[in-house]
């Protein structure tokens, strides 16, 4: 499906179902209009080497150490109950993995009892029970001050990019409290959704939200704890990867390692869609750039050009983006 046309008609053709997102639409308030630079690209339909219906019974997950498919013992399927009652083991490393608090721990440090790993402040912040509780109760809503159009609109935008990957497996990395994971699962557009985060408390909060909604409680949705730099999937196995408001939270310079991991697990034609805060935009004045550089010096915010370079340097192509104030949604494809 074509997701972008020439720059002259980029805004209207990128989201044909949502004319209100057109940059020149008179119905869109000035404060909500997008500005962007978009290349002419076409995302071809995913040609999966495996059955698009996904059996979800065998080698769905891989060892985060050696990436060998894990042997599973327990019920089949990707539902929360099936994953919780299953045990996983790597035939090569002989390491076992199991569920805890309704999420499957597939980190390298899984099972270690006397090990405390302290990540950078931006990562540790979201491991806090307090922040996890507040994330959908006021924290995320404040993003609209920076130009984020809101979860419902962001979901619609992402779905347009993911059209060629529908019917396959979607991984929502750095899923937080599962705000978008639940939307993807509830859409029924994917044969399976994996909500993945490093924060134990975010995953617990995600489960609390899921169990309140019977429509997704038994859907093909799994909760997995994992490091975005060591994703527990075989190379070329995943159809789509989503990272909502996440890139700026990943440890720098591990941004490159994380995007490289995403590129590794995507199959040919697979799509990566992400949103994040920008340090400044192409329209920001020189004085504005200097001020923002000083104010945001402790934040891991990138520019439009840096995000594009990051994706292309990791082997992704057909990069395209939409920008509004300090918000950017970008998409790239595995060739």
């Amino acid at each position: 499906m074509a997701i972008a046309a020439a720059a002259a008609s980029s805004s209207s053709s990128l989201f044909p179902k949502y004319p209100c997102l057109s940059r020149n639409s008179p119905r869109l308030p000035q404060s909500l209009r997008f500005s962007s630079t978009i290349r002419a690209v076409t995302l071809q339909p995913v040609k999966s080497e495996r059955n698009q219906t996904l059996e979800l019974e065998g080698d769905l997950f891989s060892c985060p150490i050696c990436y060998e498919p894990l042997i599973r013992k327990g019920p089949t399927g990707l539902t929360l109950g099936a994953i919780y009652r299953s045990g996983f083991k790597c035939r090569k490393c002989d390491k076992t993995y199991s569920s805890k608090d309704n999420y499957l721990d597939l980190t390298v440090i899984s099972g270690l009892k006397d090990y405390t790993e302290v990540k950078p402040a931006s990562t540790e912040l979201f491991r806090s029970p307090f922040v996890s509780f507040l994330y959908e109760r006021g924290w995320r809503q404040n993003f609209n001050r920076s130009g984020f159009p809101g979860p419902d609109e962001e979901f619609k935008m992402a779905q347009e990019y993911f059209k060629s990957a529908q019917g396959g497996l979607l991984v929502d990395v750095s899923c937080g409290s599962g705000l978008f994971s639940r939307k993807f699962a509830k859409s029924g557009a994917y044969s399976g959704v994996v909500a993945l985060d490093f924060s134990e408390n975010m995953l617990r909060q995600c489960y609390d939200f899921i169990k309140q909604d019977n429509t997704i409680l038994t859907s093909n949705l799994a909760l997995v704890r994992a490091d975005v730099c060591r994703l527990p999937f075989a190379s070329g196995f995943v159809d789509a990867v989503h990272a909502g408001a996440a890139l700026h939270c990943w440890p720098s310079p591990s941004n490159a390692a994380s995007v490289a991991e995403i590129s590794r697990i995507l199959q040919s034609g697979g799509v990566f869609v992400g949103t994040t805060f920008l340090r400044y935009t192409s329209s920001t004045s020189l004085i504005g750039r200097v001020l923002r550089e000083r104010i945001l010096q402790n934040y891991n915010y990138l520019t439009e050009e840096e995000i594009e370079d990051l994706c292309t340097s990791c082997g992704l192509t057909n990069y395209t983006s939409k920008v509004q104030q300090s918000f950017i949604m970008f998409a790239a494809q595995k060739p």
Side-chain angles (χ1 to χ4, degrees), residues 3-249:
I3 65 162
S9 60
S10 59
S11 294
S12 59
S13 63
L14 187 60
F15 303 110
K17 285 192 175 182
Y18 308 104
C20 63
L21 293 181
S22 171
R23 179 180 176 180
N24 300 315
S25 172
R27 290 173 291 175
L28 187 64
Q30 183 66 35
S31 62
L32 293 179
R33 291 187 184 176
F34 290 96
S35 62
S36 62
T37 301
I38 302 179
R39 287 166 172 71
V41 296
T42 301
L43 293 188
Q44 300 298 327
V46 175
K47 296 180 180 179
S48 177
E49 297 178 358
R50 56 189 168 82
N51 189 340
Q52 281 293 315
T53 60
L54 267 180
E55 291 295 333
L56 300 175
E57 297 181 356
D59 53 358
L60 174 63
F61 299 113
S62 293
C63 174
I65 299 172
C66 66
Y67 297 129
E68 283 291 314
L70 296 176
I71 302 171
R72 178 174 179 173
K73 184 177 181 181
T76 58
L78 192 61
T79 62
L80 291 175
I83 296 295
Y84 182 71
R85 296 193 302 272
S86 296
F88 297 83
K89 183 176 182 179
C90 177
R91 60 168 61 89
K92 186 174 182 179
C93 299
D94 201 37
K95 184 176 174 66
T96 58
Y97 302 90
S98 60
S99 292
K100 180 181 181 182
D101 294 332
N102 292 290
Y103 64 81
L104 175 63
D105 192 340
L106 292 179
T107 59
V108 173
I109 59 173
S110 173
L112 298 183
K113 298 178 181 179
D114 300 314
Y115 185 87
T116 301
E117 183 180 29
V118 179
K119 291 281 188 176
S122 59
T123 301
E124 287 298 298
L125 176 66
F126 293 99
R127 297 179 72 185
S128 160
F130 181 67
V131 173
S132 300
F133 178 82
L134 286 180
Y135 191 74
E136 290 188 42
R137 298 177 175 91
W139 186 291
R140 188 48 161 80
Q141 287 81 347
N142 286 324
F143 288 11
N144 61 4
R145 298 180 181 177
S146 298
F148 279 69
D152 290 340
E153 206 59 60
E154 291 168 50
F155 172 70
K156 291 178 183 178
M157 293 164 67
Q159 284 289 75
E160 284 296 311
Y161 283 117
F162 282 139
K163 272 198 170 181
S164 63
Q166 290 183 4
L169 177 66
L170 181 144
V171 178
D172 189 16
V173 299
S174 296
C175 68
S177 58
L179 177 61
F180 291 100
S181 305
R182 304 194 306 273
K183 290 180 180 292
F184 287 126
K186 201 167 185 175
S187 73
Y190 308 94
S191 52
V193 175
V194 177
L196 183 150
D197 205 286
F198 186 78
S199 169
E200 308 92 324
N201 286 304
M202 280 294 190
L203 291 169
R204 293 185 186 112
Q205 185 62 69
C206 183
Y207 175 73
D208 286 343
F209 282 127
I210 290 172
K211 68 182 182 181
Q212 296 172 23
D213 190 340
N214 291 329
T215 61
I216 57 175
L217 186 59
T218 57
S219 64
N220 284 333
L221 172 62
L223 304 184
V224 174
R225 183 179 183 233
D227 190 331
V228 70
C229 293
R230 301 291 297 183
L231 294 173
F233 302 96
S235 298
F237 188 80
V238 174
D239 301 277
V241 174
H242 177 260
L247 190 66
H248 56 278
C249 297

